[in-house]
Short mmCIF file of all heavy atoms in Angstrom, two decimals:
data_model
loop_
_atom_site.label_atom_id
_atom_site.label_comp_id
_atom_site.label_asym_id
_atom_site.label_seq_id
_atom_site.Cartn_x
_atom_site.Cartn_y
_atom_site.Cartn_z
N MET A 1 79.71 115.57 77.89
CA MET A 1 78.67 114.59 78.12
C MET A 1 78.40 114.45 79.61
O MET A 1 79.31 114.09 80.34
CB MET A 1 79.05 113.22 77.54
CG MET A 1 79.19 113.22 76.01
SD MET A 1 77.66 113.47 75.17
CE MET A 1 77.04 111.79 75.21
N GLU A 2 77.21 114.72 80.02
CA GLU A 2 76.90 114.59 81.43
C GLU A 2 76.11 113.27 81.65
O GLU A 2 75.21 112.96 80.88
CB GLU A 2 76.02 115.75 81.89
CG GLU A 2 76.77 117.09 81.78
CD GLU A 2 75.88 118.25 82.17
OE1 GLU A 2 74.69 117.99 82.38
OE2 GLU A 2 76.37 119.36 82.23
N PRO A 3 76.47 112.57 82.69
CA PRO A 3 75.75 111.31 82.93
C PRO A 3 74.36 111.62 83.53
O PRO A 3 74.21 112.35 84.52
CB PRO A 3 76.65 110.61 83.97
CG PRO A 3 77.40 111.70 84.64
CD PRO A 3 77.57 112.76 83.61
N HIS A 4 73.35 111.11 82.87
CA HIS A 4 71.98 111.29 83.36
C HIS A 4 71.59 110.00 84.08
O HIS A 4 71.20 109.05 83.50
CB HIS A 4 71.04 111.55 82.19
CG HIS A 4 71.33 112.88 81.54
ND1 HIS A 4 70.92 114.06 82.01
CD2 HIS A 4 72.02 113.15 80.39
CE1 HIS A 4 71.30 115.05 81.23
NE2 HIS A 4 71.98 114.52 80.27
N THR A 5 71.73 110.08 85.40
CA THR A 5 71.45 108.89 86.12
C THR A 5 69.95 108.66 86.32
O THR A 5 69.47 107.54 86.41
CB THR A 5 72.07 108.97 87.53
OG1 THR A 5 71.66 110.18 88.14
CG2 THR A 5 73.60 108.99 87.43
N ASN A 6 69.19 109.75 86.34
CA ASN A 6 67.78 109.62 86.60
C ASN A 6 66.93 109.67 85.28
O ASN A 6 65.74 109.77 85.30
CB ASN A 6 67.26 110.75 87.51
CG ASN A 6 67.82 110.53 88.88
OD1 ASN A 6 68.01 109.36 89.35
ND2 ASN A 6 68.10 111.59 89.61
N ALA A 7 67.66 109.70 84.17
CA ALA A 7 66.96 109.82 82.92
C ALA A 7 66.29 108.48 82.58
O ALA A 7 66.94 107.44 82.57
CB ALA A 7 67.90 110.19 81.83
N PRO A 8 65.04 108.52 82.28
CA PRO A 8 64.34 107.25 81.92
C PRO A 8 64.74 106.85 80.54
O PRO A 8 64.79 107.63 79.59
CB PRO A 8 62.86 107.62 81.95
CG PRO A 8 62.84 109.13 81.75
CD PRO A 8 64.10 109.68 82.34
N LEU A 9 65.09 105.57 80.41
CA LEU A 9 65.55 105.07 79.12
C LEU A 9 64.33 104.63 78.32
O LEU A 9 64.22 103.44 77.94
CB LEU A 9 66.54 103.96 79.34
CG LEU A 9 67.87 104.38 79.95
CD1 LEU A 9 68.73 103.19 80.30
CD2 LEU A 9 68.60 105.32 79.05
N VAL A 10 63.43 105.51 78.09
CA VAL A 10 62.25 105.15 77.33
C VAL A 10 62.21 106.04 76.09
O VAL A 10 62.11 107.24 76.14
CB VAL A 10 60.95 105.39 78.13
CG1 VAL A 10 59.77 105.11 77.25
CG2 VAL A 10 60.96 104.52 79.37
N THR A 11 62.41 105.39 74.95
CA THR A 11 62.36 106.14 73.70
C THR A 11 61.05 105.82 73.02
O THR A 11 60.74 104.63 72.76
CB THR A 11 63.53 105.76 72.80
OG1 THR A 11 63.49 104.34 72.64
CG2 THR A 11 64.85 106.18 73.39
N PRO A 12 60.22 106.83 72.78
CA PRO A 12 58.98 106.59 72.07
C PRO A 12 59.18 106.14 70.65
O PRO A 12 59.76 106.85 69.83
CB PRO A 12 58.28 107.95 72.15
CG PRO A 12 59.35 108.95 72.31
CD PRO A 12 60.49 108.23 73.05
N LEU A 13 58.73 104.94 70.38
CA LEU A 13 58.86 104.41 69.03
C LEU A 13 57.64 104.80 68.21
O LEU A 13 56.73 103.96 67.97
CB LEU A 13 59.09 102.91 69.07
CG LEU A 13 60.41 102.48 69.71
CD1 LEU A 13 60.42 100.95 69.88
CD2 LEU A 13 61.57 102.96 68.87
N VAL A 14 57.63 106.00 67.80
CA VAL A 14 56.47 106.47 66.96
C VAL A 14 56.89 106.31 65.55
O VAL A 14 57.91 106.79 65.09
CB VAL A 14 56.13 107.95 67.28
CG1 VAL A 14 55.00 108.40 66.42
CG2 VAL A 14 55.81 108.09 68.77
N PRO A 15 56.11 105.58 64.79
CA PRO A 15 56.38 105.45 63.33
C PRO A 15 56.25 106.82 62.62
O PRO A 15 55.20 107.47 62.76
CB PRO A 15 55.34 104.44 62.83
CG PRO A 15 54.27 104.48 63.86
CD PRO A 15 54.93 104.85 65.16
N VAL A 16 57.29 107.16 61.93
CA VAL A 16 57.29 108.45 61.22
C VAL A 16 56.74 108.22 59.81
O VAL A 16 57.35 107.44 59.05
CB VAL A 16 58.70 109.02 61.18
CG1 VAL A 16 58.69 110.37 60.42
CG2 VAL A 16 59.21 109.22 62.59
N PRO A 17 55.61 108.79 59.47
CA PRO A 17 55.09 108.62 58.12
C PRO A 17 55.88 109.40 57.11
O PRO A 17 56.30 110.54 57.35
CB PRO A 17 53.63 109.16 58.24
CG PRO A 17 53.75 110.16 59.38
CD PRO A 17 54.79 109.67 60.32
N LEU A 18 56.10 108.82 55.97
CA LEU A 18 56.81 109.53 54.95
C LEU A 18 55.80 110.40 54.23
O LEU A 18 54.95 109.95 53.43
CB LEU A 18 57.39 108.50 53.94
CG LEU A 18 58.58 107.70 54.48
CD1 LEU A 18 58.94 106.60 53.46
CD2 LEU A 18 59.76 108.58 54.72
N GLN A 19 55.87 111.68 54.55
CA GLN A 19 54.88 112.57 54.03
C GLN A 19 55.16 112.89 52.54
O GLN A 19 54.26 112.72 51.72
CB GLN A 19 54.89 113.89 54.83
CG GLN A 19 54.42 113.68 56.27
CD GLN A 19 54.56 114.90 57.10
OE1 GLN A 19 55.14 115.89 56.69
NE2 GLN A 19 54.01 114.87 58.29
N ARG A 20 56.29 113.39 52.30
CA ARG A 20 56.62 113.77 50.93
C ARG A 20 58.00 113.30 50.54
O ARG A 20 58.97 113.78 51.15
CB ARG A 20 56.53 115.29 50.77
CG ARG A 20 55.27 115.73 50.07
CD ARG A 20 55.38 117.21 49.66
NE ARG A 20 55.04 118.10 50.75
CZ ARG A 20 55.24 119.42 50.73
NH1 ARG A 20 55.76 119.95 49.67
NH2 ARG A 20 54.92 120.14 51.72
N PRO A 21 58.13 112.36 49.69
CA PRO A 21 59.46 112.00 49.24
C PRO A 21 60.08 113.10 48.36
O PRO A 21 59.54 113.38 47.31
CB PRO A 21 59.24 110.73 48.39
CG PRO A 21 57.79 110.79 47.98
CD PRO A 21 57.07 111.59 49.07
N GLN A 22 61.13 113.69 48.91
CA GLN A 22 61.68 114.84 48.19
C GLN A 22 62.65 114.32 47.11
O GLN A 22 63.80 113.98 47.37
CB GLN A 22 62.43 115.72 49.15
CG GLN A 22 61.48 116.48 50.09
CD GLN A 22 62.20 117.51 50.92
OE1 GLN A 22 63.41 117.48 51.01
NE2 GLN A 22 61.45 118.38 51.53
N LEU A 23 62.11 114.27 45.91
CA LEU A 23 62.94 113.81 44.78
C LEU A 23 63.69 114.96 44.15
O LEU A 23 64.64 114.76 43.46
CB LEU A 23 62.04 113.14 43.77
CG LEU A 23 61.32 111.86 44.26
CD1 LEU A 23 60.40 111.31 43.17
CD2 LEU A 23 62.35 110.79 44.61
N GLN A 24 63.22 116.17 44.45
CA GLN A 24 63.86 117.32 43.86
C GLN A 24 65.04 117.74 44.73
O GLN A 24 64.93 117.70 45.96
CB GLN A 24 62.89 118.48 43.72
CG GLN A 24 61.73 118.15 42.78
CD GLN A 24 60.65 119.23 42.79
OE1 GLN A 24 60.68 120.06 43.66
NE2 GLN A 24 59.75 119.12 41.88
N SER A 25 66.07 118.14 44.10
CA SER A 25 67.27 118.48 44.87
C SER A 25 67.33 120.02 45.01
O SER A 25 68.46 120.61 45.07
CB SER A 25 68.52 117.97 44.13
OG SER A 25 68.60 118.55 42.84
N GLN A 26 66.22 120.66 45.02
CA GLN A 26 66.26 122.11 45.18
C GLN A 26 66.34 122.43 46.67
O GLN A 26 65.71 121.78 47.50
CB GLN A 26 64.98 122.71 44.62
CG GLN A 26 64.89 122.57 43.11
CD GLN A 26 63.59 123.07 42.55
OE1 GLN A 26 62.72 123.52 43.30
NE2 GLN A 26 63.45 123.03 41.25
N PRO A 27 67.12 123.42 46.99
CA PRO A 27 67.22 123.89 48.36
C PRO A 27 65.96 124.56 48.83
O PRO A 27 65.76 125.78 48.63
CB PRO A 27 68.41 124.81 48.37
CG PRO A 27 68.52 125.30 46.96
CD PRO A 27 68.00 124.22 46.10
N ALA A 28 65.04 123.80 49.40
CA ALA A 28 63.75 124.38 49.78
C ALA A 28 63.79 124.99 51.19
O ALA A 28 62.82 125.46 51.67
CB ALA A 28 62.71 123.27 49.77
N ALA A 29 64.94 124.92 51.80
CA ALA A 29 65.08 125.41 53.16
C ALA A 29 65.29 126.94 53.21
O ALA A 29 65.50 127.50 54.22
CB ALA A 29 66.18 124.69 53.89
N GLY A 30 65.19 127.56 52.07
CA GLY A 30 65.38 129.02 52.05
C GLY A 30 66.74 129.39 51.56
O GLY A 30 67.60 128.56 51.27
N HIS A 31 66.93 130.68 51.52
CA HIS A 31 68.17 131.23 51.03
C HIS A 31 68.99 131.74 52.21
O HIS A 31 68.57 132.56 52.98
CB HIS A 31 67.91 132.37 50.04
CG HIS A 31 67.11 131.96 48.86
ND1 HIS A 31 67.70 131.42 47.72
CD2 HIS A 31 65.79 131.94 48.63
CE1 HIS A 31 66.73 131.12 46.85
NE2 HIS A 31 65.56 131.45 47.38
N ILE A 32 70.18 131.25 52.27
CA ILE A 32 71.09 131.68 53.29
C ILE A 32 72.20 132.49 52.62
O ILE A 32 73.04 131.98 51.87
CB ILE A 32 71.75 130.51 54.07
CG1 ILE A 32 70.61 129.65 54.67
CG2 ILE A 32 72.71 131.00 55.13
CD1 ILE A 32 71.11 128.33 55.23
N THR A 33 72.16 133.76 52.87
CA THR A 33 73.06 134.66 52.14
C THR A 33 74.22 135.08 53.03
O THR A 33 74.12 135.11 54.26
CB THR A 33 72.35 135.96 51.66
OG1 THR A 33 71.74 136.59 52.82
CG2 THR A 33 71.23 135.63 50.68
N SER A 34 75.32 135.39 52.37
CA SER A 34 76.44 135.90 53.05
C SER A 34 77.21 136.74 52.03
O SER A 34 76.88 136.84 50.90
CB SER A 34 77.36 134.75 53.60
OG SER A 34 77.82 133.92 52.55
N THR A 35 78.25 137.36 52.54
CA THR A 35 79.06 138.19 51.67
C THR A 35 80.43 137.59 51.45
O THR A 35 80.97 136.94 52.34
CB THR A 35 79.20 139.61 52.18
OG1 THR A 35 79.71 139.53 53.48
CG2 THR A 35 77.83 140.29 52.19
N ALA A 36 80.94 137.76 50.25
CA ALA A 36 82.30 137.26 49.97
C ALA A 36 83.07 138.38 49.38
O ALA A 36 82.58 139.23 48.67
CB ALA A 36 82.23 136.09 49.00
N GLU A 37 84.33 138.38 49.70
CA GLU A 37 85.20 139.44 49.19
C GLU A 37 86.05 138.93 48.01
O GLU A 37 86.59 137.83 48.07
CB GLU A 37 86.09 139.96 50.28
CG GLU A 37 85.32 140.69 51.33
CD GLU A 37 86.20 141.22 52.46
OE1 GLU A 37 87.43 141.41 52.21
OE2 GLU A 37 85.73 141.36 53.57
N ARG A 38 86.10 139.71 46.98
CA ARG A 38 86.88 139.32 45.84
C ARG A 38 87.76 140.50 45.49
O ARG A 38 87.36 141.46 44.87
CB ARG A 38 85.96 138.93 44.68
CG ARG A 38 86.70 138.41 43.48
CD ARG A 38 85.75 137.92 42.41
NE ARG A 38 85.01 136.73 42.88
CZ ARG A 38 83.99 136.22 42.20
NH1 ARG A 38 83.60 136.77 41.08
NH2 ARG A 38 83.33 135.16 42.69
N GLY A 39 88.99 140.41 45.88
CA GLY A 39 89.87 141.53 45.70
C GLY A 39 89.44 142.72 46.58
O GLY A 39 89.24 142.58 47.79
N SER A 40 89.24 143.88 45.95
CA SER A 40 88.80 145.03 46.67
C SER A 40 87.28 145.15 46.61
O SER A 40 86.72 146.11 47.08
CB SER A 40 89.41 146.28 46.13
OG SER A 40 89.14 146.45 44.75
N PHE A 41 86.63 144.16 46.02
CA PHE A 41 85.19 144.17 45.85
C PHE A 41 84.55 143.24 46.82
O PHE A 41 85.19 142.33 47.38
CB PHE A 41 84.80 143.86 44.43
CG PHE A 41 85.16 144.87 43.43
CD1 PHE A 41 86.34 144.77 42.70
CD2 PHE A 41 84.33 145.97 43.23
CE1 PHE A 41 86.71 145.71 41.76
CE2 PHE A 41 84.69 146.96 42.28
CZ PHE A 41 85.90 146.82 41.55
N CYS A 42 83.26 143.46 47.00
CA CYS A 42 82.49 142.56 47.87
C CYS A 42 81.23 142.18 47.13
O CYS A 42 80.58 143.04 46.52
CB CYS A 42 82.20 143.30 49.20
SG CYS A 42 81.49 142.23 50.44
N LEU A 43 80.85 140.98 47.24
CA LEU A 43 79.63 140.53 46.56
C LEU A 43 78.87 139.58 47.45
O LEU A 43 79.43 138.95 48.33
CB LEU A 43 79.96 139.84 45.21
CG LEU A 43 80.94 138.70 45.21
CD1 LEU A 43 80.23 137.37 45.17
CD2 LEU A 43 81.86 138.80 44.02
N ALA A 44 77.56 139.57 47.18
CA ALA A 44 76.67 138.73 47.99
C ALA A 44 76.56 137.37 47.37
O ALA A 44 76.46 137.21 46.13
CB ALA A 44 75.25 139.36 48.08
N VAL A 45 76.64 136.33 48.21
CA VAL A 45 76.51 134.98 47.74
C VAL A 45 75.33 134.32 48.50
O VAL A 45 75.01 134.73 49.61
CB VAL A 45 77.79 134.15 47.94
CG1 VAL A 45 78.89 134.67 47.02
CG2 VAL A 45 78.21 134.15 49.38
N CYS A 46 74.71 133.35 47.87
CA CYS A 46 73.59 132.70 48.52
C CYS A 46 73.82 131.20 48.45
O CYS A 46 74.58 130.71 47.61
CB CYS A 46 72.29 133.07 47.77
SG CYS A 46 70.85 132.35 48.57
N SER A 47 73.13 130.49 49.35
CA SER A 47 73.28 129.06 49.40
C SER A 47 72.67 128.35 48.20
O SER A 47 72.91 127.22 47.94
CB SER A 47 72.63 128.51 50.71
OG SER A 47 71.25 128.84 50.71
N CYS A 48 71.81 129.08 47.45
CA CYS A 48 71.14 128.49 46.25
C CYS A 48 72.10 128.58 45.08
O CYS A 48 71.77 128.05 44.03
CB CYS A 48 69.86 129.14 46.00
SG CYS A 48 69.97 130.84 45.36
N GLY A 49 73.22 129.26 45.21
CA GLY A 49 74.13 129.38 44.13
C GLY A 49 74.14 130.73 43.48
O GLY A 49 74.95 131.03 42.59
N TRP A 50 73.27 131.58 43.96
CA TRP A 50 73.19 132.94 43.40
C TRP A 50 74.29 133.80 43.94
O TRP A 50 74.68 133.69 45.09
CB TRP A 50 71.79 133.53 43.78
CG TRP A 50 71.68 134.98 43.42
CD1 TRP A 50 71.26 135.48 42.23
CD2 TRP A 50 71.93 136.08 44.27
NE1 TRP A 50 71.24 136.83 42.28
CE2 TRP A 50 71.66 137.27 43.50
CE3 TRP A 50 72.37 136.24 45.58
CZ2 TRP A 50 71.79 138.53 44.05
CZ3 TRP A 50 72.52 137.50 46.10
CH2 TRP A 50 72.23 138.62 45.37
N THR A 51 74.84 134.64 43.05
CA THR A 51 75.82 135.57 43.53
C THR A 51 75.40 136.94 42.96
O THR A 51 74.93 137.08 41.86
CB THR A 51 77.22 135.23 42.98
OG1 THR A 51 77.19 135.11 41.58
CG2 THR A 51 77.74 133.98 43.65
N GLY A 52 75.58 137.94 43.78
CA GLY A 52 75.23 139.30 43.37
C GLY A 52 76.38 139.92 42.62
O GLY A 52 77.51 139.36 42.47
N PRO A 53 76.18 141.11 42.17
CA PRO A 53 77.23 141.83 41.42
C PRO A 53 78.27 142.29 42.42
O PRO A 53 78.05 142.46 43.61
CB PRO A 53 76.51 143.01 40.78
CG PRO A 53 75.29 143.22 41.64
CD PRO A 53 74.92 141.88 42.17
N ALA A 54 79.48 142.49 41.90
CA ALA A 54 80.57 142.95 42.74
C ALA A 54 80.32 144.39 43.15
O ALA A 54 80.04 145.27 42.32
CB ALA A 54 81.88 142.79 42.01
N ARG A 55 80.45 144.60 44.41
CA ARG A 55 80.21 145.96 44.95
C ARG A 55 81.44 146.50 45.59
O ARG A 55 82.36 145.76 46.02
CB ARG A 55 79.08 145.88 45.98
CG ARG A 55 77.75 145.40 45.44
CD ARG A 55 77.15 146.38 44.44
NE ARG A 55 75.75 146.04 44.16
CZ ARG A 55 75.00 146.77 43.33
NH1 ARG A 55 75.49 147.79 42.68
NH2 ARG A 55 73.78 146.41 43.10
N ARG A 56 81.45 147.80 45.67
CA ARG A 56 82.58 148.47 46.33
C ARG A 56 82.52 148.38 47.84
O ARG A 56 83.50 148.36 48.51
CB ARG A 56 82.62 149.91 45.90
CG ARG A 56 83.21 150.14 44.54
CD ARG A 56 84.65 150.51 44.67
NE ARG A 56 85.26 150.74 43.33
CZ ARG A 56 86.57 150.73 43.15
NH1 ARG A 56 87.35 150.48 44.16
NH2 ARG A 56 87.04 150.93 41.95
N SER A 57 81.29 148.28 48.33
CA SER A 57 81.14 148.27 49.77
C SER A 57 80.36 147.00 50.16
O SER A 57 79.52 146.49 49.42
CB SER A 57 80.42 149.48 50.26
OG SER A 57 79.07 149.49 49.84
N ARG A 58 80.60 146.57 51.37
CA ARG A 58 79.96 145.38 51.86
C ARG A 58 78.46 145.67 52.16
O ARG A 58 77.61 144.78 52.11
CB ARG A 58 80.63 144.88 53.12
CG ARG A 58 80.10 143.57 53.61
CD ARG A 58 80.89 143.07 54.79
NE ARG A 58 82.26 142.65 54.42
CZ ARG A 58 83.20 142.31 55.28
NH1 ARG A 58 82.93 142.32 56.56
NH2 ARG A 58 84.37 141.96 54.86
N ASP A 59 78.19 146.91 52.43
CA ASP A 59 76.81 147.30 52.72
C ASP A 59 75.93 147.13 51.50
O ASP A 59 74.80 146.67 51.58
CB ASP A 59 76.78 148.73 53.24
CG ASP A 59 75.41 149.10 53.79
OD1 ASP A 59 74.89 148.29 54.56
OD2 ASP A 59 74.91 150.15 53.43
N LEU A 60 76.48 147.50 50.36
CA LEU A 60 75.73 147.36 49.13
C LEU A 60 75.52 145.85 48.81
O LEU A 60 74.48 145.47 48.32
CB LEU A 60 76.43 148.02 47.98
CG LEU A 60 76.24 149.54 47.88
CD1 LEU A 60 77.11 150.10 46.80
CD2 LEU A 60 74.76 149.84 47.58
N ALA A 61 76.54 145.05 49.08
CA ALA A 61 76.41 143.61 48.82
C ALA A 61 75.36 142.97 49.78
O ALA A 61 74.61 142.10 49.34
CB ALA A 61 77.76 142.93 49.06
N ARG A 62 75.28 143.52 50.98
CA ARG A 62 74.26 143.03 51.88
C ARG A 62 72.86 143.39 51.40
O ARG A 62 71.92 142.68 51.56
CB ARG A 62 74.49 143.60 53.29
CG ARG A 62 75.63 142.88 54.01
CD ARG A 62 75.29 142.75 55.48
NE ARG A 62 76.44 142.18 56.22
CZ ARG A 62 77.27 142.88 56.91
NH1 ARG A 62 77.15 144.18 56.99
NH2 ARG A 62 78.27 142.32 57.55
N LYS A 63 72.76 144.59 50.83
CA LYS A 63 71.48 144.98 50.29
C LYS A 63 71.08 144.15 49.09
O LYS A 63 69.88 143.84 48.91
CB LYS A 63 71.54 146.48 49.87
CG LYS A 63 71.48 147.41 51.06
CD LYS A 63 71.56 148.86 50.63
CE LYS A 63 71.50 149.79 51.84
NZ LYS A 63 71.74 151.20 51.46
N ASP A 64 72.08 143.75 48.30
CA ASP A 64 71.79 142.85 47.20
C ASP A 64 71.27 141.52 47.74
O ASP A 64 70.35 140.90 47.17
CB ASP A 64 73.06 142.64 46.35
CG ASP A 64 73.37 143.85 45.50
OD1 ASP A 64 72.39 144.59 45.16
OD2 ASP A 64 74.53 144.03 45.18
N ALA A 65 71.90 141.05 48.79
CA ALA A 65 71.51 139.76 49.40
C ALA A 65 70.09 139.85 49.93
O ALA A 65 69.32 138.93 49.77
CB ALA A 65 72.50 139.37 50.48
N SER A 66 69.79 140.95 50.61
CA SER A 66 68.43 141.05 51.19
C SER A 66 67.41 141.19 50.11
O SER A 66 66.28 140.72 50.23
CB SER A 66 68.43 142.25 52.15
OG SER A 66 68.60 143.44 51.47
N ARG A 67 67.79 141.87 49.04
CA ARG A 67 66.85 141.98 47.92
C ARG A 67 66.63 140.63 47.27
O ARG A 67 65.53 140.33 46.76
CB ARG A 67 67.38 143.02 46.89
CG ARG A 67 66.23 143.88 46.35
CD ARG A 67 66.75 144.76 45.23
NE ARG A 67 68.15 145.20 45.41
CZ ARG A 67 68.79 145.85 44.46
NH1 ARG A 67 68.22 146.07 43.31
NH2 ARG A 67 70.03 146.23 44.64
N HIS A 68 67.62 139.80 47.26
CA HIS A 68 67.49 138.47 46.72
C HIS A 68 66.59 137.61 47.54
O HIS A 68 65.75 136.84 47.04
CB HIS A 68 68.88 137.81 46.56
CG HIS A 68 68.82 136.37 46.23
ND1 HIS A 68 68.41 135.91 44.99
CD2 HIS A 68 69.15 135.29 46.96
CE1 HIS A 68 68.46 134.55 45.01
NE2 HIS A 68 68.90 134.19 46.22
N THR A 69 66.74 137.69 48.87
CA THR A 69 65.93 136.82 49.71
C THR A 69 64.48 137.28 49.82
O THR A 69 63.58 136.51 49.97
CB THR A 69 66.55 136.80 51.15
OG1 THR A 69 66.74 138.12 51.57
CG2 THR A 69 67.87 136.08 51.14
N THR A 70 64.28 138.60 49.68
CA THR A 70 62.92 139.09 49.81
C THR A 70 62.20 139.01 48.44
O THR A 70 61.01 139.20 48.36
CB THR A 70 62.91 140.57 50.25
OG1 THR A 70 63.75 141.33 49.43
CG2 THR A 70 63.35 140.69 51.73
N GLY A 71 62.97 138.71 47.41
CA GLY A 71 62.30 138.55 46.11
C GLY A 71 62.60 139.73 45.27
O GLY A 71 61.94 140.06 44.34
ZN1 ZN K 1 69.15 132.29 47.03
#
């Protein structure tokens, strides 16, 4: 934390309009994929809960993940 001695203590109080009340609990922020290892296999996992098939190589799991995100 650096002390800001010359920083103006003016915070703009702009009212934020509630554009869309998100009542749905779907992850609309996109799919964040990663790979997980299970034993000697590797599979792609996504933040939406999707998991790809178990692959022998991590490269194939990454391809599954990219195919999932691109549709
Ligand atoms: Zn996903």
